[in-house]
Amino acid sequence: DGGITQSPKYLFRKEGQNVTLSCEQNLNHDAMYWYRQDPGQGLRLIYYSQIVNDFQKGDIAEGYSVSREKKESFPLTVTSAQKNPTAFYLCASSTPMNTEAFFGQGTRLTVV
Amino acid sequence: GDSVTQMEGPVTLSEEAFLTINCTYTATGYPSLFWYVQYPGEGLQLLLKATKADDKGSNKGFEATYRKETTSFHLEKGSVQVSDSAVYFCARTAYSSASKIIFGSGTRLSIRP
């Protein structure tokens, strides 16, 4: 079955450590996205990539980094520079011109 | 800039009641408009979409009409079920880039049996 897989579902890290969230898709989509969701809040765009080896900052990119070396994969690294990293992270990919975006199940990151 | 504003929740209704969740968007460009639904602990699923003015999106008994004159895309359902309890997000494509989707803050809906 085609879809987007995020792993792990839950992740705990100590403050000051970098952590990488995985996102893989087998939908053959060119565009991929990372969003952050805080309790009771909407989704805020962190980074997006329209094509392999290219990506753009979203609205809240500070403290995060990404890579897009393969069409299928768009990992997100939450660095120690991110002041408040505890949140629910959602990865998505989309069809051409955004006729529909498909989301993964999310990773809940808790930094202690 | 681009934005989407939707009614604040939570919204609590009895089963079989009529549902309206209001959504308005900034009138920049010619965006595509979407409603997504999020069930507890999960990602978002596309519920319906409309790509141009006067289009009506529909799915699972939910409907929304792209109203350019009022910059609105209100979600409606004639008779809600307990299984409709979820968070609903209105969204639009960005004026600066069709590859960006901008989401509203979400409306939590709870249906009482």
Side-chain angles (χ1 to χ4, degrees):
Chain A
D1 287 338
I4 297 185
T5 301
Q6 289 187 243
S7 60
K9 191 171 176 65
Y10 299 95
L11 190 54
F12 295 87
R13 278 295 181 270
K14 291 185 178 179
E15 195 170 335
Q17 290 182 335
N18 291 356
V19 60
T20 298
L21 282 59
S22 170
C23 178
E24 303 278 332
Q25 56 104 353
N26 60 5
L27 300 167
N28 201 34
H29 288 165
D30 285 314
M32 296 186 74
Y33 313 80
W34 275 104
Y35 290 90
R36 171 181 171 140
Q37 185 179 25
D38 293 286
Q41 310 256 332
L43 278 67
R44 292 184 289 171
L45 183 63
I46 305 172
Y47 269 97
Y48 65 107
S49 167
Q50 297 181 68
I51 199 166
V52 174
N53 292 323
D54 186 50
F55 48 83
Q56 288 79 40
K57 293 182 179 180
D59 301 316
I60 56 165
E62 186 174 350
Y64 299 97
S65 66
V66 293
S67 63
R68 187 83 188 277
E69 296 176 1
K70 298 186 300 182
K71 188 175 187 178
E72 301 80 18
S73 178
F74 191 41
L76 173 74
T77 297
V78 184
T79 75
S80 56
Q82 168 52 231
K83 299 301 180 193
N84 186 19
T86 295
F88 189 51
Y89 290 88
L90 286 162
C91 180
S93 69
S94 70
T95 55
M97 297 305 291
N98 271 331
T99 55
E100 181 172 351
F102 293 80
F103 282 80
Q105 294 293 295
T107 293
R108 186 166 300 280
L109 173 64
T110 303
V111 174
V112 296
Chain B
D2 300 330
S3 67
V4 174
T5 302
Q6 57 184 109
M7 62 188 291
E8 288 195 22
V11 173
T12 303
L13 297 171
S14 296
E15 202 166 21
E16 299 184 3
F18 184 85
L19 168 71
T20 299
I21 300 178
N22 290 337
C23 171
T24 57
Y25 61 94
T26 48
T28 49
Y30 302 92
S32 294
L33 302 174
F34 311 88
W35 276 100
Y36 283 84
V37 59
Q38 184 180 34
Y39 297 101
E42 297 187 7
L44 277 67
Q45 303 172 27
L46 179 68
L47 182 59
L48 52 84
K49 64 179 187 251
T51 57
K52 60 184 187 298
D54 300 324
D55 270 2
K56 177 185 282 189
S58 61
N59 186 26
K60 300 181 182 179
F62 291 90
E63 292 183 341
T65 301
Y66 191 142
R67 301 283 188 203
K68 192 170 188 295
E69 64 276 13
T70 54
T71 63
S72 65
F73 193 56
H74 304 322
L75 183 67
E76 296 181 334
K77 186 174 185 181
S79 176
V80 292
Q81 306 300 314
V82 172
S83 57
D84 294 327
S85 299
V87 181
Y88 292 82
F89 291 91
C90 186
R92 61 161 286 170
T93 49
Y95 176 66
S96 58
S97 168
S99 294
K100 289 176 65 175
I101 304 178
I102 297 166
F103 288 84
S105 57
T107 302
R108 182 174 298 279
L109 174 66
S110 295
I111 307 300
R112 294 187 299 252

